[in-house]
Structures are given as C-alpha cells and as structure tokens.
Amino acid sequence: MPTTQRDLSSRLTSGGLSNSLSLLDTVSFSQDDCLRLFAKADSLSELETATGRFQEKPSRRRVLAFVFFEPSTRTRMSFQMAAERLGYKVNPLEVAQSSLSKGESLVDTVLNVVAMKPDGLIIRYGHDLELGTLLPKLSLPVISAGTGMIAHPTQALLDAYTIQKQMAGVKGRRVLIVGDVRHSRVARSNFDILLKLGAEIGICGPREFMPAEPRANIRVFTSLDEACEWCDVYMGLRVQLERHQGRVDLTDYTNRYGLNKARLDILKQEAIILHPGPINYGTEFVPEVAHDPRNRVLDQVSNGVLIRGAVLARTFEGGR
Ligand code: CP
C-alpha cells in the first residue's frame, strides 16, 4: 500500500530516529539548511577544481554501505563519486547476487548489512520495505537515495541548487513540473524544497497524473502551452512506463504533454529545461530538446555529485 509523505514523516518521528544525521525526506530541512548545503556544494566545487578532491586532508576513512533495491544510474554513481572524492570507501550490495534470491527479506538484508558496522547506509527502496519501523534498530546515519513514491531528497536539493546557480536564486522563480506528478517522489520532494526557497510552482499533466488534492499554493495548468509561457524553469518528469504500461496512449501523451518544437518556441529565451532522468526521448521531450541551449539536464547531473558530497560532508564531517 503506498504511503503518503505525511505518514512517512510521522512514522519516522514516532519511530524514534536514533540520530539527527539521517536524511530520509526534506520535511525537517529548513531554508537555512538548504542554503548552507548549497554553500558547501560551492566550496566542494572550488576544492575539486584546485585539488581534484573534496577534502584536502581526509578524516578517518569512512566506509559507506550502498543498498539499492531499485535500479539507478545517476543517484548511485554520483553518491559513489562524491564519497570517493571525500576519501571514503564505498561497499555496494550487489542486489542481484545477494541472498534476496534465496528468500531473505529486505529487512534482514538491511539488518545484516548494518551489522557489519559501516559508517553510513545509502539506500534506495520502495513501499515493500517499512524502513520507519526499522530505524530505531539502526544506530548509523541513513540517507535516502529515493524512497518509493514518497521522497527523493537529494534530487530535489540538486534541482534547487541547479536553479540557484543558473538563475541567480530560486526565490520568485516559476517552476513548472510536467507529467506524472502524482506518482513522483521527485515532484513531492521538489514541492517541499522549492516552496521553502520561495519559488512559485505550477504543474501540468493528464488528470490521472495530477495529485488527488493539489496544495493550495501550487497552480494546476490544463494547457501546457499556457504553462510554457508562464514558467522560468521547465521540469519534465519521466513517464513511468513500467507502472503505466498499456494504460497510457503515448502518442496522445506526447502531443498534449510532451516538450515539442512548438513549445520550445513558446518557452522564454532565458528559461531553463530540467529533467531528473532517465529521459524517454520521443515521449516527455522531442529529441531536439537534447540540443536546445536552455537544456541543463547534464548540469543537474554534475551538480548531483556536489550536492551529494555536501550531504555526506554534513553527515560525516559535521559540515566541514
Ligand atoms: N534521478 C534519478 O533518481 O536517476 P537514477 O534513477 O538514475 O538514480
């Protein structure tokens, strides 16, 4: 049964999270927390340019366990790159070769990995793992690399950081999120972070992809053309084909909700185009979007390494 962000947050709180360093959602993340993290990401970028590393003198060598129960390219690799630039060792569980195939449960898998005493756990999981009930047994920082349809905190942080860098601030920027908002952990976490930073948010997509009860401060567009005229930031979301297979008419979807050549002409010249990836070119975006000068998708990916480095430093180096 899918869980709402409110449910998750209350369970995390009532579950007695054993330390304040875990990052499982952005609900308790303040505007100041975001800005401090962005400043840290800036300083990591400068250090990397000068030294190729994120720390001049690495502290005690940390060992991080990576447990990804769902596939990932960007999040996993960028956490790994960031960890290695901080001088940490990464120990990934190769899920396909793990004892899950012998029937071991997700909970036992996590408990066994944690029993090996890594310094931290980076985890991607779905609604089939009740991490909230497990947390009191875990005495190490746990960082979400994506939680079902609930939260993707570091994605939202890197999206906001990209907007800040590209547009000299997030406050007052009009961010349009297009597509399967209802089932998107990226959209949920972005609502939280972008509103805290003072952005205006609009959403557009098929009715069945819109939140059942949209927040009062989020504008719902029925016309994507009108929304394109309005926005400063166009954020496409992936159509989750594995979830909707056979139930979405992709030609109709692309005509009504795809970023096509006509809509590229409507977008402001100074607008930027984002997408958390992976992109289904030909569905969310026509292939021309890849070459549009407003496309900042690969900047998002580069910024992901900096933001995840900043999150790891905040967690394991006291933000140093
Ligand atoms: N944006 C994102 O979470 O991408 P991955 O699934 O490749 O990590």
Coordinates of all heavy atoms in Angstrom, one line a residue, residues 184-252:
S184 N 5.3 10.7 -8.4 CA 6.7 11.1 -8.5 C 7.2 11.5 -7.1 O 6.8 12.5 -6.6 CB 6.8 12.2 -9.5 OG 8.2 12.7 -9.4
R185 N 8.3 10.7 -6.7 CA 9.0 11.1 -5.5 C 9.7 12.4 -5.7 O 10.0 13.2 -4.8 CB 9.9 10.0 -5.0 CG 10.9 9.6 -6.0 CD 11.7 8.3 -5.5 NE 12.5 7.7 -6.5 CZ 12.8 6.4 -6.6 NH1 12.2 5.6 -5.7 NH2 13.6 5.9 -7.5
V186 N 10.2 12.6 -6.9 CA 11.0 13.8 -7.3 C 10.1 15.0 -7.1 O 10.4 16.0 -6.5 CB 11.5 13.7 -8.7 CG1 12.2 15.1 -9.1 CG2 12.5 12.6 -8.9
A187 N 8.8 15.0 -7.6 CA 7.9 16.1 -7.5 C 7.6 16.4 -6.1 O 7.6 17.5 -5.6 CB 6.6 15.8 -8.3
R188 N 7.3 15.4 -5.3 CA 7.0 15.6 -3.9 C 8.1 16.3 -3.1 O 7.9 17.3 -2.4 CB 6.8 14.2 -3.1 CG 5.4 13.6 -3.3 CD 5.4 12.3 -2.5 NE 4.4 11.4 -3.0 CZ 3.1 11.5 -2.7 NH1 2.7 12.4 -1.9 NH2 2.2 10.7 -3.3
S189 N 9.3 15.8 -3.3 CA 10.4 16.5 -2.6 C 10.7 17.9 -3.2 O 11.1 18.8 -2.4 CB 11.7 15.6 -2.7 OG 11.5 14.4 -1.9
N190 N 10.5 18.0 -4.5 CA 10.7 19.4 -5.0 C 9.6 20.4 -4.5 O 10.0 21.5 -4.3 CB 10.6 19.3 -6.6 CG 12.0 19.3 -7.2 OD1 12.8 20.2 -6.9 ND2 12.3 18.3 -8.0
F191 N 8.4 19.9 -4.4 CA 7.4 20.8 -3.8 C 7.9 21.4 -2.5 O 7.9 22.6 -2.2 CB 6.1 20.1 -3.5 CG 5.3 19.7 -4.7 CD1 4.3 18.8 -4.6 CD2 5.6 20.2 -6.0 CE1 3.5 18.4 -5.7 CE2 4.8 19.8 -7.1 CZ 3.8 18.9 -7.0
D192 N 8.4 20.5 -1.7 CA 8.8 20.8 -0.3 C 10.0 21.8 -0.4 O 9.9 22.9 0.2 CB 9.2 19.5 0.4 CG 9.3 19.7 1.9 OD1 8.5 20.5 2.4 OD2 10.2 19.1 2.5
I193 N 11.0 21.5 -1.1 CA 12.3 22.3 -1.1 C 12.0 23.7 -1.8 O 12.4 24.7 -1.4 CB 13.4 21.6 -1.8 CG1 13.9 20.4 -0.9 CG2 14.6 22.5 -2.1 CD1 14.6 20.8 0.4
L194 N 11.4 23.6 -3.0 CA 11.2 24.8 -3.8 C 10.3 25.8 -3.1 O 10.6 27.0 -3.2 CB 10.7 24.5 -5.2 CG 11.7 23.7 -6.1 CD1 11.1 23.2 -7.4 CD2 12.9 24.5 -6.4
L195 N 9.3 25.3 -2.5 CA 8.4 26.3 -1.8 C 9.1 26.9 -0.6 O 9.0 28.1 -0.4 CB 7.1 25.6 -1.3 CG 6.1 25.2 -2.4 CD1 5.0 24.3 -1.9 CD2 5.6 26.4 -3.2
K196 N 9.9 26.1 0.1 CA 10.7 26.7 1.2 C 11.6 27.8 0.7 O 11.9 28.7 1.4 CB 11.5 25.6 1.9 CG 10.7 24.8 2.9 CD 11.5 23.7 3.5 CE 10.6 22.8 4.4 NZ 11.1 21.5 4.6
L197 N 12.1 27.6 -0.5 CA 13.1 28.6 -1.1 C 12.4 29.7 -1.8 O 13.0 30.6 -2.4 CB 14.1 27.9 -2.0 CG 15.0 26.9 -1.3 CD1 15.8 26.1 -2.3 CD2 16.0 27.7 -0.3
G198 N 11.1 29.7 -1.8 CA 10.3 30.9 -2.3 C 10.0 30.8 -3.8 O 9.6 31.9 -4.4
A199 N 10.1 29.6 -4.4 CA 9.7 29.5 -5.8 C 8.2 29.5 -5.9 O 7.5 29.1 -4.9 CB 10.3 28.3 -6.4
E200 N 7.6 29.8 -7.1 CA 6.2 29.5 -7.4 C 6.2 28.2 -8.2 O 7.1 28.0 -9.0 CB 5.7 30.6 -8.3 CG 5.5 32.0 -7.7 CD 4.9 33.0 -8.6 OE1 3.9 32.6 -9.3 OE2 5.4 34.1 -8.7
I201 N 5.2 27.4 -7.9 CA 5.2 26.1 -8.6 C 3.9 25.9 -9.4 O 2.8 26.2 -8.9 CB 5.3 24.9 -7.6 CG1 6.7 25.0 -6.9 CG2 5.2 23.6 -8.3 CD1 7.0 23.9 -6.0
G202 N 4.1 25.5 -10.7 CA 2.9 25.1 -11.5 C 3.1 23.6 -11.9 O 4.2 23.1 -12.0
I203 N 2.0 22.9 -12.1 CA 2.0 21.5 -12.6 C 1.1 21.4 -13.7 O 0.1 22.1 -13.9 CB 1.7 20.5 -11.4 CG1 0.3 20.8 -10.8 CG2 2.7 20.5 -10.4 CD1 -0.1 19.7 -9.8
C204 N 1.4 20.4 -14.6 CA 0.6 20.1 -15.8 C 0.8 18.7 -16.2 O 1.9 18.1 -16.1 CB 1.0 21.0 -16.9 SG -0.1 20.9 -18.3
G205 N -0.3 18.0 -16.5 CA -0.3 16.6 -17.0 C -1.7 16.1 -17.0 O -2.7 16.8 -16.7
P206 N -1.8 14.8 -17.5 CA -3.1 14.2 -17.5 C -3.8 14.2 -16.1 O -3.1 14.1 -15.1 CB -2.8 12.8 -18.0 CG -1.5 12.8 -18.6 CD -0.7 13.9 -17.9
R207 N -5.1 14.3 -16.1 CA -5.8 14.4 -14.8 C -5.4 13.2 -13.9 O -5.2 13.4 -12.7 CB -7.3 14.3 -15.1 CG -8.1 14.7 -13.9 CD -9.5 14.2 -14.0 NE -10.2 14.7 -15.2 CZ -11.1 15.6 -15.2 NH1 -11.6 16.1 -14.1 NH2 -11.7 15.9 -16.4
E208 N -5.2 12.0 -14.5 CA -4.9 10.9 -13.6 C -3.4 10.9 -13.1 O -3.1 10.1 -12.2 CB -5.2 9.5 -14.3 CG -4.3 9.3 -15.5 CD -4.9 9.9 -16.8 OE1 -5.7 10.8 -16.7 OE2 -4.5 9.4 -17.9
F209 N -2.6 11.9 -13.6 CA -1.3 12.0 -13.1 C -1.2 13.2 -12.1 O -0.1 13.5 -11.6 CB -0.3 12.3 -14.2 CG 0.1 11.0 -15.0 CD1 0.9 11.1 -16.1 CD2 -0.5 9.8 -14.7 CE1 1.3 10.0 -16.9 CE2 -0.1 8.7 -15.5 CZ 0.7 8.8 -16.6
M210 N -2.3 13.9 -12.0 CA -2.2 15.1 -11.1 C -2.6 14.7 -9.6 O -3.3 13.7 -9.5 CB -3.2 16.2 -11.5 CG -2.9 16.8 -12.8 SD -1.4 17.9 -12.8 CE -0.1 16.8 -13.4
P211 N -2.1 15.3 -8.6 CA -2.4 15.0 -7.2 C -3.9 15.0 -7.0 O -4.6 15.8 -7.6 CB -1.7 16.0 -6.4 CG -0.7 16.7 -7.3 CD -1.2 16.5 -8.7
A212 N -4.4 14.0 -6.2 CA -5.8 14.0 -5.9 C -6.3 15.3 -5.3 O -7.3 15.8 -5.6 CB -6.1 12.8 -5.0
E213 N -5.4 15.8 -4.4 CA -5.7 17.1 -3.7 C -4.5 18.0 -3.8 O -3.7 18.0 -2.9 CB -6.1 16.8 -2.2 CG -7.3 16.0 -2.0 CD -7.5 15.6 -0.5 OE1 -7.0 16.3 0.3 OE2 -8.1 14.6 -0.3
P214 N -4.4 18.7 -4.9 CA -3.2 19.6 -5.1 C -3.2 20.6 -4.0 O -4.2 21.1 -3.5 CB -3.5 20.3 -6.4 CG -4.6 19.6 -7.1 CD -5.4 18.9 -6.0
R215 N -1.9 21.0 -3.5 CA -1.8 22.0 -2.5 C -2.3 23.3 -3.0 O -2.2 23.6 -4.2 CB -0.3 22.2 -2.2 CG 0.4 21.0 -1.6 CD 1.7 21.4 -1.1 NE 2.6 20.3 -0.9 CZ 3.8 20.4 -0.3 NH1 4.2 21.5 0.2 NH2 4.6 19.3 -0.2
A216 N -2.8 24.1 -2.1 CA -3.5 25.4 -2.5 C -2.4 26.3 -3.2 O -2.8 27.1 -4.1 CB -4.0 26.1 -1.3
N217 N -1.2 26.2 -2.8 CA -0.2 27.2 -3.3 C 0.5 26.6 -4.6 O 1.6 27.1 -5.0 CB 0.9 27.5 -2.3 CG 1.4 26.3 -1.6 OD1 1.0 25.2 -1.9 ND2 2.4 26.5 -0.6
I218 N 0.0 25.6 -5.2 CA 0.5 25.0 -6.4 C -0.5 25.3 -7.5 O -1.7 24.9 -7.4 CB 0.9 23.6 -6.3 CG1 2.1 23.4 -5.3 CG2 1.2 22.9 -7.6 CD1 2.5 22.0 -5.1
R219 N -0.1 25.9 -8.6 CA -1.0 26.2 -9.7 C -1.1 25.0 -10.7 O -0.1 24.5 -11.1 CB -0.5 27.5 -10.4 CG -1.4 27.9 -11.5 CD -1.0 29.3 -11.9 NE -1.7 29.7 -13.2 CZ -1.5 30.8 -13.8 NH1 -0.7 31.7 -13.4 NH2 -2.2 31.1 -14.9
V220 N -2.3 24.6 -11.0 CA -2.5 23.5 -11.9 C -2.9 24.0 -13.2 O -3.9 24.7 -13.4 CB -3.7 22.5 -11.3 CG1 -3.8 21.3 -12.2 CG2 -3.3 22.1 -9.9
F221 N -2.1 23.7 -14.3 CA -2.4 24.1 -15.6 C -3.1 23.0 -16.4 O -2.6 21.8 -16.3 CB -1.1 24.5 -16.3 CG -0.5 25.8 -15.9 CD1 0.4 25.8 -14.9 CD2 -0.9 27.0 -16.5 CE1 1.0 27.0 -14.4 CE2 -0.3 28.2 -16.1 CZ 0.6 28.2 -15.1
T222 N -4.1 23.3 -17.2 CA -4.7 22.3 -18.1 C -4.1 22.4 -19.5 O -4.1 21.5 -20.2 CB -6.2 22.4 -18.1 OG1 -6.5 23.8 -18.4 CG2 -6.9 22.0 -16.9
S223 N -3.6 23.6 -19.8 CA -2.9 23.8 -21.1 C -1.4 23.9 -20.9 O -0.9 24.8 -20.2 CB -3.5 25.1 -21.7 OG -2.5 25.6 -22.7
L224 N -0.7 23.0 -21.6 CA 0.8 23.1 -21.5 C 1.3 24.3 -22.2 O 2.3 24.9 -21.8 CB 1.4 21.8 -22.0 CG 2.9 21.7 -21.9 CD1 3.4 21.9 -20.4 CD2 3.4 20.3 -22.3
D225 N 0.7 24.7 -23.3 CA 1.1 25.9 -24.0 C 1.1 27.1 -23.0 O 2.1 27.9 -22.9 CB 0.3 26.2 -25.2 CG 0.5 25.2 -26.3 OD1 1.3 24.2 -26.1 OD2 -0.2 25.2 -27.3
E226 N 0.0 27.3 -22.3 CA -0.1 28.4 -21.4 C 0.9 28.3 -20.3 O 1.6 29.3 -19.9 CB -1.5 28.4 -20.8 CG -1.9 29.6 -19.9 CD -3.2 29.4 -19.1 OE1 -4.0 28.6 -19.6 OE2 -3.3 29.9 -18.0
A227 N 1.2 27.1 -19.8 CA 2.1 26.8 -18.7 C 3.6 27.2 -19.2 O 4.4 27.7 -18.5 CB 2.1 25.4 -18.2
C228 N 3.8 26.8 -20.5 CA 5.2 27.1 -21.0 C 5.4 28.6 -21.1 O 6.5 29.1 -20.9 CB 5.3 26.5 -22.4 SG 5.6 24.7 -22.4
E229 N 4.4 29.4 -21.4 CA 4.5 30.8 -21.4 C 4.8 31.4 -20.0 O 5.5 32.4 -19.9 CB 3.2 31.4 -21.9 CG 3.3 32.4 -23.0 CD 1.9 32.8 -23.5 OE1 1.1 31.9 -23.9 OE2 1.6 34.0 -23.3
W230 N 4.2 30.7 -19.0 CA 4.3 31.2 -17.6 C 5.7 31.0 -17.0 O 6.2 31.8 -16.2 CB 3.2 30.5 -16.8 CG 3.2 30.7 -15.3 CD1 2.6 31.7 -14.6 CD2 3.7 29.8 -14.4 NE1 2.8 31.5 -13.3 CE2 3.5 30.3 -13.1 CE3 4.4 28.6 -14.5 CZ2 3.9 29.7 -11.9 CZ3 4.8 27.9 -13.3 CH2 4.6 28.5 -12.0
C231 N 6.3 29.8 -17.3 CA 7.4 29.3 -16.5 C 8.8 29.9 -16.8 O 9.0 30.4 -17.9 CB 7.5 27.8 -16.5 SG 8.1 27.2 -18.1
D232 N 9.6 29.9 -15.8 CA 11.1 30.2 -15.9 C 11.9 28.9 -16.0 O 13.0 28.9 -16.5 CB 11.6 31.0 -14.7 CG 10.8 32.3 -14.5 OD1 10.7 33.1 -15.5 OD2 10.3 32.5 -13.4
V233 N 11.3 27.9 -15.3 CA 12.0 26.5 -15.3 C 11.0 25.5 -15.7 O 9.9 25.4 -15.2 CB 12.5 26.2 -13.9 CG1 13.2 24.8 -13.8 CG2 13.4 27.3 -13.3
Y234 N 11.4 24.7 -16.8 CA 10.5 23.6 -17.2 C 11.1 22.3 -16.8 O 12.2 22.0 -17.2 CB 10.4 23.7 -18.8 CG 9.5 22.6 -19.4 CD1 8.3 23.0 -19.9 CD2 9.8 21.3 -19.4 CE1 7.4 22.0 -20.5 CE2 9.0 20.3 -19.9 CZ 7.8 20.7 -20.5 OH 6.9 19.8 -21.0
M235 N 10.4 21.6 -15.9 CA 11.0 20.4 -15.4 C 10.1 19.2 -15.9 O 8.9 19.1 -15.5 CB 11.0 20.4 -13.8 CG 11.7 19.1 -13.3 SD 11.6 19.0 -11.5 CE 12.6 20.4 -11.0
G236 N 10.6 18.4 -16.8 CA 9.9 17.3 -17.3 C 10.0 16.1 -16.3 O 11.1 16.0 -15.7
L237 N 9.0 15.3 -16.2 CA 9.2 14.0 -15.4 C 9.0 12.9 -16.3 O 8.3 12.9 -17.3 CB 8.0 14.0 -14.4 CG 8.0 15.0 -13.2 CD1 6.8 14.7 -12.3 CD2 9.3 15.0 -12.4
R238 N 9.7 11.8 -16.0 CA 9.6 10.6 -16.8 C 8.3 10.0 -16.7 O 7.7 9.9 -15.6 CB 10.7 9.6 -16.2 CG 10.8 8.3 -17.0 CD 11.9 7.5 -16.5 NE 11.6 6.9 -15.2 CZ 11.1 5.7 -15.0 NH1 10.8 4.9 -16.1 NH2 10.9 5.2 -13.8
V239 N 7.7 9.5 -17.9 CA 6.5 8.7 -17.8 C 7.0 7.3 -17.4 O 7.8 6.7 -18.0 CB 5.9 8.6 -19.2 CG1 4.6 7.7 -19.1 CG2 5.5 10.0 -19.7
Q240 N 6.5 6.9 -16.2 CA 6.9 5.6 -15.6 C 6.3 4.4 -16.4 O 5.3 3.9 -15.9 CB 6.6 5.6 -14.1 CG 7.3 6.8 -13.5 CD 7.1 6.8 -12.0 OE1 7.2 5.8 -11.3 NE2 6.9 8.0 -11.4
L241 N 6.9 4.1 -17.5 CA 6.3 3.1 -18.4 C 6.1 1.8 -17.7 O 5.1 1.1 -18.0 CB 7.2 3.0 -19.7 CG 7.3 4.2 -20.5 CD1 8.4 4.0 -21.6 CD2 6.0 4.6 -21.2
E242 N 7.0 1.4 -16.8 CA 6.8 0.2 -16.1 C 5.6 0.1 -15.2 O 5.0 -0.9 -14.9 CB 8.1 -0.1 -15.3 CG 8.3 0.7 -14.0 CD 8.9 2.1 -14.3 OE1 8.9 2.5 -15.5 OE2 9.3 2.8 -13.4
R243 N 5.2 1.3 -14.8 CA 4.0 1.4 -13.9 C 2.7 1.5 -14.7 O 1.6 1.0 -14.3 CB 4.1 2.7 -13.0 CG 3.1 2.8 -12.0 CD 3.1 4.2 -11.3 NE 4.3 4.5 -10.7 CZ 4.7 4.0 -9.5 NH1 3.9 3.2 -8.8 NH2 5.9 4.3 -8.9
H244 N 2.8 2.2 -15.9 CA 1.5 2.5 -16.6 C 1.4 1.7 -17.9 O 0.6 2.1 -18.8 CB 1.5 4.0 -17.0 CG 1.6 4.9 -15.7 ND1 0.7 4.8 -14.7 CD2 2.5 5.8 -15.4 CE1 1.0 5.7 -13.8 NE2 2.2 6.3 -14.2
Q245 N 2.2 0.7 -18.1 CA 2.3 0.0 -19.4 C 0.9 -0.3 -19.9 O 0.1 -0.9 -19.2 CB 3.1 -1.2 -19.3 CG 3.9 -1.5 -20.6 CD 5.2 -2.2 -20.3 OE1 5.3 -3.0 -19.3 NE2 6.3 -2.0 -21.0
G246 N 0.6 0.1 -21.2 CA -0.7 -0.3 -21.8 C -1.8 0.7 -21.4 O -2.9 0.6 -22.0
R247 N -1.6 1.5 -20.3 CA -2.7 2.3 -19.9 C -2.5 3.8 -20.3 O -3.3 4.6 -20.0 CB -2.8 2.2 -18.3 CG -3.6 1.0 -18.0 CD -3.8 0.8 -16.5 NE -2.5 0.4 -15.9 CZ -2.0 0.9 -14.7 NH1 -2.7 1.8 -14.1 NH2 -0.9 0.4 -14.3
V248 N -1.3 4.1 -20.9 CA -1.1 5.4 -21.4 C -0.9 5.4 -22.9 O -0.1 4.6 -23.4 CB 0.2 6.0 -20.8 CG1 0.5 7.4 -21.3 CG2 0.1 6.0 -19.3
D249 N -1.7 6.2 -23.6 CA -1.6 6.3 -25.1 C -0.4 7.3 -25.3 O -0.6 8.5 -25.1 CB -2.9 6.9 -25.6 CG -2.8 7.1 -27.1 OD1 -1.7 7.2 -27.7 OD2 -3.9 7.2 -27.8
L250 N 0.7 6.7 -25.6 CA 1.9 7.6 -25.7 C 1.9 8.6 -26.7 O 2.4 9.7 -26.5 CB 3.2 6.7 -25.8 CG 3.6 5.8 -24.6 CD1 4.8 5.0 -24.9 CD2 3.8 6.7 -23.4
T251 N 1.2 8.4 -27.9 CA 1.1 9.4 -28.9 C 0.3 10.6 -28.4 O 0.7 11.7 -28.5 CB 0.5 8.8 -30.2 OG1 1.2 7.6 -30.5 CG2 0.5 9.7 -31.3
D252 N -0.8 10.2 -27.8 CA -1.7 11.3 -27.2 C -0.9 12.1 -26.1 O -1.0 13.3 -26.1 CB -3.0 10.7 -26.7 CG -3.9 11.7 -26.1 OD1 -4.3 12.6 -26.8 OD2 -4.2 11.6 -24.9

